[in-house]
Amino acid sequence: MRRGDLDPAVLLEEEFLPRVRSLQRAEFWAPALSTAVLLEHRRGHHAVADDLIDEFIRVTEDHDTARLQFLPDVARVCAAHGRIDVLERLVSEEHRVRNERGRRALAAARAVLAEARGDHADAAARYADVAHGWLRYGSIPERAEAMLGRGRCLLAIGEVDEARVALAAARVHLEELGAAPALAEIDDLSSESADATASASR
């Protein structure tokens, strides 16, 4: 899915979702649902993705660790669908954070919320902290997402040079991962930064 290979990803989703639902164990259900949420969003099936978000919230209600560990993708789709109220509830609830991954994931979701609210300067700072945290933890995909988010937010507030640094850092990781959709977003953002620079020099 992250490489843009949606057809084989859908076949796998059709296999794993029924299995985890039959198990009814949050530690398996949560990652399956967060993956399915992002996949259906990427397919353009927004109503299906929203239903899966609601299912994720329901099945992780009493499982803070499972919810937090797999929250970032759900948070990003909530933001993309304008479900800011849902995202606010998810990140503001009192969670019992039991491990480092959960702390990093919650911080990432709060950065996503700041960006979704239009607080781009705050979000850019949060994304920088999140990127550093994921680097220490060892999650390259999440570090790349954080640097990409930082680049978006810096562009939004006119910090073009810093945005290019952030996007270049994200590109290095995403190229290693073969993450074609995210690389396409960076290409679009890089074009915007070039246009902004050209306009400023006129």
Side-chain angles (χ1 to χ4, degrees):
M1 173 187 63
R2 294 185 190 279
R3 290 173 172 168
D5 299 330
L6 296 188
D7 289 342
V10 170
L11 292 177
L12 290 168
E13 178 192 38
E14 291 173 351
E15 179 180 352
F16 70 67
L17 266 184
R19 290 188 179 189
V20 296
R21 283 170 172 153
S22 66
L23 290 172
Q24 295 192 354
R25 293 179 60 179
E27 64 267 34
F28 303 131
W29 213 338
L33 286 171
S34 67
T35 301
V37 164
L38 187 55
L39 176 56
E40 294 304 326
H41 167 72
R42 292 244 173 114
R43 296 176 72 195
H45 298 171
H46 291 184
V48 176
D50 284 341
D51 287 343
L52 290 166
I53 289 170
D54 294 338
E55 185 178 354
F56 175 87
I57 292 169
R58 177 175 57 80
V59 302
T60 61
E61 185 173 3
D62 297 321
H63 302 276
D64 292 329
T65 298
R67 173 176 290 190
L68 289 176
Q69 288 187 342
F70 303 100
L71 184 57
D73 280 334
V74 173
R76 286 187 277 266
V77 176
C78 280
H81 293 190
R83 300 188 70 184
I84 309 303
D85 56 336
V86 173
L87 181 50
E88 286 175 341
R89 289 199 302 272
L90 284 171
V91 303
S92 64
E93 293 175 354
E94 289 298 323
H95 296 289
R96 297 182 296 277
V97 184
R98 296 185 176 89
N99 56 46
E100 186 68 12
R101 179 179 172 130
R103 283 189 287 274
R104 300 302 178 193
L106 183 56
R110 285 174 172 165
V112 170
L113 176 59
E115 182 183 4
R117 286 172 168 167
D119 299 332
H120 293 113
D122 178 44
R126 287 177 180 272
Y127 277 129
D129 289 341
V130 168
H132 179 67
W134 283 124
L135 180 62
R136 291 183 61 189
Y137 178 80
S139 176
I140 297 305
E142 282 297 335
R143 172 173 164 77
E145 288 282 359
M147 295 306 294
L148 177 52
R150 177 168 167 78
R152 282 195 308 267
C153 293
L154 289 170
L155 279 178
I157 59 177
E159 299 289 346
V160 177
D161 290 341
E162 287 190 52
R164 286 175 176 164
V165 172
L167 294 174
R171 182 185 293 278
V172 170
H173 295 315
L174 294 167
E175 285 178 346
E176 291 174 351
L177 297 167
L183 287 167
E185 181 180 353
I186 289 179
D187 289 340
D188 291 341
L189 292 169
S190 297
S191 296
E192 289 179 25
S193 71
D195 292 343
T197 301
S199 297
S201 65
R202 290 193 187 109

